[in-house]
mmCIF file of all heavy atoms in Angstrom:
data_model
loop_
_atom_site.group_PDB
_atom_site.id
_atom_site.type_symbol
_atom_site.label_atom_id
_atom_site.label_comp_id
_atom_site.label_asym_id
_atom_site.label_seq_id
_atom_site.Cartn_x
_atom_site.Cartn_y
_atom_site.Cartn_z
ATOM 1 N N ARG S 1 12.033 -5.773 -0.448
ATOM 2 C CA ARG S 1 12.589 -5.615 0.872
ATOM 3 C C ARG S 1 14.086 -5.377 0.728
ATOM 4 O O ARG S 1 14.834 -5.986 -0.041
ATOM 5 C CB ARG S 1 12.391 -6.868 1.687
ATOM 6 C CG ARG S 1 12.838 -6.707 3.105
ATOM 7 C CD ARG S 1 12.615 -7.973 3.956
ATOM 8 N NE ARG S 1 11.163 -8.251 4.052
ATOM 9 C CZ ARG S 1 10.296 -7.735 4.876
ATOM 10 N NH1 ARG S 1 10.647 -6.778 5.665
ATOM 11 N NH2 ARG S 1 9.057 -8.177 4.867
ATOM 12 N N GLY S 2 14.545 -4.376 1.519
ATOM 13 C CA GLY S 2 15.959 -4.067 1.613
ATOM 14 C C GLY S 2 16.421 -4.322 3.050
ATOM 15 O O GLY S 2 15.815 -5.146 3.798
ATOM 16 N N ALA S 3 17.436 -3.688 3.411
ATOM 17 C CA ALA S 3 18.102 -3.911 4.730
ATOM 18 C C ALA S 3 17.524 -3.044 5.842
ATOM 19 O O ALA S 3 17.942 -3.143 6.986
ATOM 20 C CB ALA S 3 19.585 -3.709 4.625
ATOM 21 N N THR S 4 16.517 -2.151 5.458
ATOM 22 C CA THR S 4 15.970 -1.242 6.495
ATOM 23 C C THR S 4 14.479 -1.442 6.586
ATOM 24 O O THR S 4 13.878 -2.073 5.717
ATOM 25 C CB THR S 4 16.233 0.236 6.134
ATOM 26 O OG1 THR S 4 15.481 0.528 4.924
ATOM 27 C CG2 THR S 4 17.715 0.460 5.832
ATOM 28 N N PRO S 5 13.843 -0.903 7.626
ATOM 29 C CA PRO S 5 12.364 -1.057 7.797
ATOM 30 C C PRO S 5 11.555 -0.214 6.818
ATOM 31 O O PRO S 5 10.375 -0.204 6.874
ATOM 32 C CB PRO S 5 12.157 -0.604 9.211
ATOM 33 C CG PRO S 5 13.415 -0.103 9.777
ATOM 34 C CD PRO S 5 14.482 -0.351 8.823
ATOM 35 N N HIS S 6 12.195 0.559 5.951
ATOM 36 C CA HIS S 6 11.538 1.427 5.007
ATOM 37 C C HIS S 6 10.489 0.573 4.143
ATOM 38 O O HIS S 6 9.447 1.090 3.875
ATOM 39 C CB HIS S 6 12.552 2.038 4.041
ATOM 40 C CG HIS S 6 12.017 2.989 3.086
ATOM 41 N ND1 HIS S 6 11.449 4.237 3.432
ATOM 42 C CD2 HIS S 6 11.806 2.919 1.701
ATOM 43 C CE1 HIS S 6 11.090 4.816 2.340
ATOM 44 N NE2 HIS S 6 11.200 4.061 1.338
ATOM 45 N N PHE S 7 10.908 -0.666 3.810
ATOM 46 C CA PHE S 7 10.002 -1.568 3.082
ATOM 47 C C PHE S 7 8.661 -1.705 3.755
ATOM 48 O O PHE S 7 7.565 -1.543 3.097
ATOM 49 C CB PHE S 7 10.683 -2.888 2.973
ATOM 50 C CG PHE S 7 9.721 -4.037 2.521
ATOM 51 C CD1 PHE S 7 9.608 -4.320 1.131
ATOM 52 C CD2 PHE S 7 8.985 -4.724 3.381
ATOM 53 C CE1 PHE S 7 8.755 -5.359 0.688
ATOM 54 C CE2 PHE S 7 8.166 -5.776 2.976
ATOM 55 C CZ PHE S 7 8.011 -6.080 1.603
ATOM 56 N N ASP S 8 8.611 -1.922 5.033
ATOM 57 C CA ASP S 8 7.338 -2.191 5.726
ATOM 58 C C ASP S 8 6.471 -0.882 5.688
ATOM 59 O O ASP S 8 5.249 -0.989 5.456
ATOM 60 C CB ASP S 8 7.646 -2.509 7.221
ATOM 61 C CG ASP S 8 8.334 -3.886 7.327
ATOM 62 O OD1 ASP S 8 7.853 -4.833 6.670
ATOM 63 O OD2 ASP S 8 9.374 -3.952 8.009
ATOM 64 N N MET S 9 7.052 0.293 5.877
ATOM 65 C CA MET S 9 6.322 1.550 5.853
ATOM 66 C C MET S 9 5.733 1.757 4.492
ATOM 67 O O MET S 9 4.534 2.012 4.395
ATOM 68 C CB MET S 9 7.273 2.689 6.278
ATOM 69 C CG MET S 9 6.563 4.036 6.415
ATOM 70 S SD MET S 9 6.436 5.057 4.966
ATOM 71 C CE MET S 9 8.166 5.293 4.522
ATOM 72 N N VAL S 10 6.517 1.601 3.438
ATOM 73 C CA VAL S 10 5.959 1.839 2.090
ATOM 74 C C VAL S 10 4.911 0.832 1.744
ATOM 75 O O VAL S 10 3.850 1.183 1.177
ATOM 76 C CB VAL S 10 7.097 1.813 1.033
ATOM 77 C CG1 VAL S 10 6.597 1.900 -0.352
ATOM 78 C CG2 VAL S 10 8.029 3.015 1.297
ATOM 79 N N ALA S 11 5.147 -0.454 1.986
ATOM 80 C CA ALA S 11 4.177 -1.531 1.638
ATOM 81 C C ALA S 11 2.885 -1.279 2.415
ATOM 82 O O ALA S 11 1.743 -1.353 1.788
ATOM 83 C CB ALA S 11 4.751 -2.864 2.063
ATOM 84 N N ASN S 12 2.924 -1.013 3.719
ATOM 85 C CA ASN S 12 1.711 -0.854 4.521
ATOM 86 C C ASN S 12 0.933 0.408 4.142
ATOM 87 O O ASN S 12 -0.259 0.368 3.952
ATOM 88 C CB ASN S 12 2.050 -0.814 5.980
ATOM 89 C CG ASN S 12 2.541 -2.136 6.482
ATOM 90 O OD1 ASN S 12 2.241 -3.139 5.989
ATOM 91 N ND2 ASN S 12 3.342 -2.053 7.578
ATOM 92 N N GLU S 13 1.649 1.517 3.974
ATOM 93 C CA GLU S 13 0.933 2.779 3.722
ATOM 94 C C GLU S 13 0.388 2.846 2.299
ATOM 95 O O GLU S 13 -0.688 3.431 2.073
ATOM 96 C CB GLU S 13 1.903 3.967 3.963
ATOM 97 C CG GLU S 13 2.239 4.139 5.402
ATOM 98 C CD GLU S 13 1.019 4.298 6.324
ATOM 99 O OE1 GLU S 13 0.103 5.031 6.005
ATOM 100 O OE2 GLU S 13 1.046 3.611 7.381
ATOM 101 N N SER S 14 1.045 2.238 1.342
ATOM 102 C CA SER S 14 0.455 2.173 -0.005
ATOM 103 C C SER S 14 -0.734 1.373 -0.105
ATOM 104 O O SER S 14 -1.788 1.757 -0.664
ATOM 105 C CB SER S 14 1.543 1.765 -1.057
ATOM 106 O OG SER S 14 1.957 0.462 -0.833
ATOM 107 N N ALA S 15 -0.706 0.208 0.581
ATOM 108 C CA ALA S 15 -1.956 -0.655 0.620
ATOM 109 C C ALA S 15 -3.087 0.011 1.397
ATOM 110 O O ALA S 15 -4.244 -0.024 0.885
ATOM 111 C CB ALA S 15 -1.597 -1.978 1.346
ATOM 112 N N LYS S 16 -2.770 0.661 2.472
ATOM 113 C CA LYS S 16 -3.843 1.355 3.181
ATOM 114 C C LYS S 16 -4.393 2.571 2.373
ATOM 115 O O LYS S 16 -5.564 2.729 2.330
ATOM 116 C CB LYS S 16 -3.264 1.885 4.553
ATOM 117 C CG LYS S 16 -4.372 2.563 5.419
ATOM 118 C CD LYS S 16 -3.900 2.799 6.822
ATOM 119 C CE LYS S 16 -2.637 3.574 6.898
ATOM 120 N NZ LYS S 16 -2.226 3.971 8.312
ATOM 121 N N GLY S 17 -3.495 3.255 1.723
ATOM 122 C CA GLY S 17 -3.943 4.357 0.866
ATOM 123 C C GLY S 17 -4.807 3.972 -0.294
ATOM 124 O O GLY S 17 -5.769 4.593 -0.694
ATOM 125 N N ILE S 18 -4.527 2.832 -0.909
ATOM 126 C CA ILE S 18 -5.270 2.313 -2.050
ATOM 127 C C ILE S 18 -6.667 1.912 -1.547
ATOM 128 O O ILE S 18 -7.703 2.225 -2.208
ATOM 129 C CB ILE S 18 -4.561 1.090 -2.716
ATOM 130 C CG1 ILE S 18 -3.304 1.606 -3.459
ATOM 131 C CG2 ILE S 18 -5.516 0.305 -3.633
ATOM 132 C CD1 ILE S 18 -2.356 0.538 -3.853
ATOM 133 N N ALA S 19 -6.755 1.229 -0.414
ATOM 134 C CA ALA S 19 -8.061 0.887 0.136
ATOM 135 C C ALA S 19 -8.858 2.095 0.461
ATOM 136 O O ALA S 19 -10.054 2.137 0.187
ATOM 137 C CB ALA S 19 -7.843 -0.015 1.386
ATOM 138 N N THR S 20 -8.208 3.100 0.995
ATOM 139 C CA THR S 20 -8.923 4.328 1.328
ATOM 140 C C THR S 20 -9.476 5.033 0.099
ATOM 141 O O THR S 20 -10.550 5.571 0.062
ATOM 142 C CB THR S 20 -7.943 5.314 2.081
ATOM 143 O OG1 THR S 20 -7.588 4.692 3.311
ATOM 144 C CG2 THR S 20 -8.630 6.594 2.445
ATOM 145 N N ALA S 21 -8.630 5.030 -0.979
ATOM 146 C CA ALA S 21 -9.020 5.679 -2.242
ATOM 147 C C ALA S 21 -10.284 4.969 -2.790
ATOM 148 O O ALA S 21 -11.222 5.684 -3.212
ATOM 149 C CB ALA S 21 -7.940 5.570 -3.303
ATOM 150 N N SER S 22 -10.363 3.717 -2.728
ATOM 151 C CA SER S 22 -11.561 3.005 -3.202
ATOM 152 C C SER S 22 -12.768 3.310 -2.260
ATOM 153 O O SER S 22 -13.831 3.554 -2.799
ATOM 154 C CB SER S 22 -11.289 1.478 -3.193
ATOM 155 O OG SER S 22 -12.357 0.793 -3.848
ATOM 156 N N LEU S 23 -12.631 3.263 -0.962
ATOM 157 C CA LEU S 23 -13.679 3.508 -0.105
ATOM 158 C C LEU S 23 -14.232 4.866 -0.082
ATOM 159 O O LEU S 23 -15.420 5.129 -0.124
ATOM 160 C CB LEU S 23 -13.330 3.105 1.297
ATOM 161 C CG LEU S 23 -13.111 1.611 1.564
ATOM 162 C CD1 LEU S 23 -12.454 1.395 2.966
ATOM 163 C CD2 LEU S 23 -14.348 0.854 1.409
ATOM 164 N N ARG S 24 -13.321 5.857 -0.273
ATOM 165 C CA ARG S 24 -13.754 7.215 -0.325
ATOM 166 C C ARG S 24 -14.457 7.644 -1.640
ATOM 167 O O ARG S 24 -15.384 8.407 -1.653
ATOM 168 C CB ARG S 24 -12.470 8.185 -0.245
ATOM 169 C CG ARG S 24 -12.165 8.593 1.097
ATOM 170 C CD ARG S 24 -11.336 9.826 1.138
ATOM 171 N NE ARG S 24 -10.705 9.869 2.459
ATOM 172 C CZ ARG S 24 -9.583 10.511 2.745
ATOM 173 N NH1 ARG S 24 -8.959 11.142 1.742
ATOM 174 N NH2 ARG S 24 -9.050 10.507 3.950
ATOM 175 N N SER S 25 -13.967 7.024 -2.751
ATOM 176 C CA SER S 25 -14.512 7.400 -4.051
ATOM 177 C C SER S 25 -15.698 6.561 -4.462
ATOM 178 O O SER S 25 -16.529 7.003 -5.298
ATOM 179 C CB SER S 25 -13.402 7.270 -5.117
ATOM 180 O OG SER S 25 -13.047 5.916 -5.261
ATOM 181 N N GLY S 26 -15.779 5.320 -3.907
ATOM 182 C CA GLY S 26 -16.843 4.391 -4.389
ATOM 183 C C GLY S 26 -16.473 3.749 -5.678
ATOM 184 O O GLY S 26 -17.340 3.125 -6.293
ATOM 185 N N VAL S 27 -15.280 3.976 -6.194
ATOM 186 C CA VAL S 27 -14.716 3.364 -7.449
ATOM 187 C C VAL S 27 -13.807 2.275 -7.097
ATOM 188 O O VAL S 27 -13.004 2.429 -6.259
ATOM 189 C CB VAL S 27 -14.068 4.543 -8.229
ATOM 190 C CG1 VAL S 27 -13.424 3.973 -9.473
ATOM 191 C CG2 VAL S 27 -15.086 5.550 -8.657
ATOM 192 N N PRO S 28 -13.923 1.116 -7.792
ATOM 193 C CA PRO S 28 -12.952 0.065 -7.507
ATOM 194 C C PRO S 28 -11.544 0.510 -7.753
ATOM 195 O O PRO S 28 -11.235 1.071 -8.832
ATOM 196 C CB PRO S 28 -13.367 -1.006 -8.539
ATOM 197 C CG PRO S 28 -14.770 -0.746 -8.863
ATOM 198 C CD PRO S 28 -14.981 0.767 -8.780
ATOM 199 N N VAL S 29 -10.696 0.386 -6.802
ATOM 200 C CA VAL S 29 -9.296 0.669 -6.979
ATOM 201 C C VAL S 29 -8.527 -0.616 -6.518
ATOM 202 O O VAL S 29 -8.641 -1.014 -5.400
ATOM 203 C CB VAL S 29 -8.833 1.894 -6.087
ATOM 204 C CG1 VAL S 29 -7.375 2.166 -6.207
ATOM 205 C CG2 VAL S 29 -9.648 3.058 -6.409
ATOM 206 N N THR S 30 -7.787 -1.250 -7.426
ATOM 207 C CA THR S 30 -7.235 -2.516 -7.145
ATOM 208 C C THR S 30 -5.701 -2.366 -6.860
ATOM 209 O O THR S 30 -5.052 -1.493 -7.421
ATOM 210 C CB THR S 30 -7.433 -3.581 -8.259
ATOM 211 O OG1 THR S 30 -6.827 -3.078 -9.509
ATOM 212 C CG2 THR S 30 -8.987 -3.819 -8.457
ATOM 213 N N ASN S 31 -5.173 -3.283 -6.059
ATOM 214 C CA ASN S 31 -3.849 -3.216 -5.540
ATOM 215 C C ASN S 31 -3.010 -4.269 -6.253
ATOM 216 O O ASN S 31 -3.091 -5.447 -6.025
ATOM 217 C CB ASN S 31 -3.798 -3.425 -4.075
ATOM 218 C CG ASN S 31 -2.378 -3.249 -3.471
ATOM 219 O OD1 ASN S 31 -1.436 -3.172 -4.214
ATOM 220 N ND2 ASN S 31 -2.283 -3.160 -2.237
ATOM 221 N N GLY S 32 -2.128 -3.780 -7.252
ATOM 222 C CA GLY S 32 -1.266 -4.656 -7.967
ATOM 223 C C GLY S 32 0.169 -4.274 -7.652
ATOM 224 O O GLY S 32 1.016 -4.447 -8.504
ATOM 225 N N ILE S 33 0.426 -3.896 -6.374
ATOM 226 C CA ILE S 33 1.809 -3.510 -5.950
ATOM 227 C C ILE S 33 2.392 -4.776 -5.354
ATOM 228 O O ILE S 33 1.851 -5.356 -4.401
ATOM 229 C CB ILE S 33 1.759 -2.377 -4.933
ATOM 230 C CG1 ILE S 33 1.153 -1.105 -5.499
ATOM 231 C CG2 ILE S 33 3.157 -2.155 -4.400
ATOM 232 C CD1 ILE S 33 1.061 0.065 -4.567
ATOM 233 N N LEU S 34 3.435 -5.204 -5.944
ATOM 234 C CA LEU S 34 4.219 -6.367 -5.455
ATOM 235 C C LEU S 34 4.904 -5.965 -4.207
ATOM 236 O O LEU S 34 5.503 -4.877 -4.094
ATOM 237 C CB LEU S 34 5.156 -6.856 -6.425
ATOM 238 C CG LEU S 34 4.666 -7.328 -7.803
ATOM 239 C CD1 LEU S 34 5.866 -7.742 -8.714
ATOM 240 C CD2 LEU S 34 3.686 -8.384 -7.712
ATOM 241 N N THR S 35 4.888 -6.827 -3.205
ATOM 242 C CA THR S 35 5.670 -6.593 -2.000
ATOM 243 C C THR S 35 6.444 -7.916 -1.804
ATOM 244 O O THR S 35 5.900 -8.921 -1.325
ATOM 245 C CB THR S 35 4.898 -6.289 -0.683
ATOM 246 O OG1 THR S 35 3.810 -7.273 -0.599
ATOM 247 C CG2 THR S 35 4.221 -4.943 -0.934
ATOM 248 N N THR S 36 7.749 -7.933 -2.120
ATOM 249 C CA THR S 36 8.500 -9.144 -2.153
ATOM 250 C C THR S 36 9.785 -9.034 -1.331
ATOM 251 O O THR S 36 10.249 -7.893 -1.014
ATOM 252 C CB THR S 36 8.900 -9.503 -3.578
ATOM 253 O OG1 THR S 36 9.699 -8.529 -4.145
ATOM 254 C CG2 THR S 36 7.654 -9.729 -4.451
#
């Protein structure tokens, strides 16, 4: 997290994209992205 809302956008969209990748492909895609 920094001083702008950029953190929220990157954290949310990367998590949503990872879930979508797993669901679309049928292959396990795990999220090890730290959001601190």
Side-chain angles (χ1 to χ4, degrees):
R1 187 179 299 279
T4 68
H6 184 72
F7 167 90
D8 296 310
M9 187 269 302
V10 173
N12 291 335
E13 294 304 316
S14 63
K16 185 168 53 172
I18 290 167
T20 299
S22 189
L23 292 172
R24 268 198 200 159
S25 67
V27 171
V29 180
T30 62
N31 187 346
I33 298 176
L34 301 179
T35 52
T36 64

